[in-house]
Amino acid sequence: MPYSLVSASTLGFDLVRLSSGRQVADVLLTGLAADGAALDSLAAHHPGPARTSAERSAAAVRGRKARELAATAVPQLRTGDFGAEPGTGTDGVDRQEALVALLERSTIGDAPTLERLLREDVLGPDHIGMAVSEEHVRDRAADVLADAALAFWAVDALPPVVFRDLVAPFRAATSAAPLTAPDLEADLGPSSAVVHELLAAVRGLDGVGRGRWRVAVDEVRELRRPWATAMHEASWAAHVSGRTRTLAASQLLAVQAFVDGGFTASDGALGAWNALSGCVQGLAMADMLDEQSLAVLLAPWTMLN
């Protein structure tokens, strides 16, 4: 399934279950927020210009091999796969446990769709910084971001030396100067303040707080079908109002808050991510949603307050 900024919640579902998904979110947020100066800095740390022709050719080969590894590094979630798990049944507890195990380690998207998202959506035609930058700057900045995103995505499968080679330019650029626009986290739409209040609360959770979230998730499971409809309505509202990129940034910040708050891949698989993502979606688009959709999306947060 291809990723898109419109369905950033789906991307978030995958990222919270990857060991370095938080870092992937950081790369994507950097791309979303980058202005012309930030793109210049990223491009300046591209290793290509300083290499000889032979070195560039060797690096290109390593890059292709790394992408081949990344493309198969994480199992893909396929309908019905859990039924084929060895040692499990087709119904009852065994089937449920197999499904949870599959959800913990498998993704909906993959590395190639992640790179396409970064190059074509995050850094696409609607990106203001890309529009004012020269072509070689755009290309080099995109390479630096794409290499880092893929390396973090497949960190558990890549040889350490390859991983370090791919992330080094991004780390050097972000160490040289803060690249995320100062106002990115402050500009999340009309409901920015309440979205940040939610994310701050999640980042600060302790064991008791996470337990309360898990209880709330269990208690609103019957809302699953109207939840999906409400999420779609909010995504469509963001699209027609020109706020898709802002909503995507909110979801990526939620990925970071989810991880910082101590939630695990298992929590993500069992519904805690969907609960948080729905709350973010509802708060961010509250001014354009009907009361019923808003109530469904905010149900876990309402229970906790």
Side-chain angles (χ1 to χ4, degrees):
M1 175 181 177
Y3 293 132
S4 72
L5 291 181
V6 174
S7 59
S9 174
T10 301
L11 171 63
F13 178 64
D14 282 351
L15 295 184
V16 298
R17 294 175 298 114
L18 292 174
S19 61
S20 292
R22 190 195 190 286
Q23 286 74 22
V24 177
D26 185 49
V27 174
L28 295 174
L29 282 166
T30 299
L32 280 170
D35 55 14
L39 293 173
D40 285 341
S41 180
L42 287 164
H45 287 84
H46 192 293
R51 288 171 170 166
T52 65
S53 177
E55 289 172 336
R56 286 195 294 272
S57 296
V61 171
R62 290 196 301 272
R64 286 195 297 272
K65 290 183 177 179
R67 279 163 170 74
E68 291 172 0
L69 280 173
T72 58
V74 181
Q76 297 298 289
L77 186 61
R78 298 285 186 257
T79 301
D81 279 355
F82 58 87
E85 289 289 304
T88 63
T90 57
D91 53 29
V93 175
D94 286 347
R95 185 175 184 273
Q96 182 178 357
E97 290 179 350
L99 176 57
V100 172
L102 180 69
L103 287 172
E104 287 182 9
R105 68 177 188 272
S106 304
T107 58
I108 297 172
D110 55 21
T113 59
L114 174 68
E115 182 165 10
R116 187 211 60 78
L117 169 76
L118 194 150
R119 292 183 181 275
E120 298 180 14
D121 285 7
V122 172
L123 302 177
D126 294 332
H127 193 289
I128 297 176
M130 294 289 277
V132 300
S133 297
E134 297 182 14
E135 183 177 2
H136 75 278
V137 171
R138 296 196 300 267
D139 291 345
R140 291 173 185 172
D143 287 347
V144 169
L145 290 169
D147 282 354
L150 289 172
F152 286 124
W153 172 278
V155 60
D156 296 328
L158 295 177
V161 65
V162 174
F163 171 78
R164 290 194 297 269
D165 186 52
L166 290 174
V167 301
F170 176 75
R171 284 178 167 170
T174 53
S175 296
L179 295 185
T180 301
D183 63 344
L184 174 64
E185 292 192 8
D187 184 16
L188 298 178
S191 301
S192 183
V194 290
V195 173
H196 282 298
E197 179 184 349
L198 166 63
L199 297 181
V202 172
R203 281 194 296 268
L205 288 174
D206 56 13
V208 173
R210 288 189 295 275
R212 293 182 65 223
W213 263 96
R214 293 172 184 131
V215 170
V217 169
D218 288 338
E219 292 189 6
V220 300
R221 286 191 190 281
E222 70 275 8
L223 298 176
R224 181 173 58 181
R225 185 166 297 175
W227 179 89
T229 301
M231 288 291 284
H232 174 76
E233 292 295 327
S235 294
W236 178 250
H239 173 68
V240 299
S241 63
R243 287 153 59 182
T244 294
R245 295 175 69 85
T246 300
L247 183 57
S250 299
Q251 292 289 351
L252 291 170
L253 288 169
V255 168
Q256 296 182 331
F258 188 91
V259 176
D260 293 345
F263 286 111
T264 65
S266 179
D267 288 316
L270 290 171
W273 165 254
N274 283 352
L276 174 59
S277 178
C279 292
V280 169
Q281 197 100 329
L283 290 175
M285 301 307 302
D287 59 312
M288 298 190 68
L289 293 175
D290 61 79
E291 291 185 4
Q292 181 178 358
S293 295
L294 190 59
V296 168
L297 294 177
L298 296 183
W301 188 231
T302 301
M303 290 181 60
L304 292 168
N305 290 277

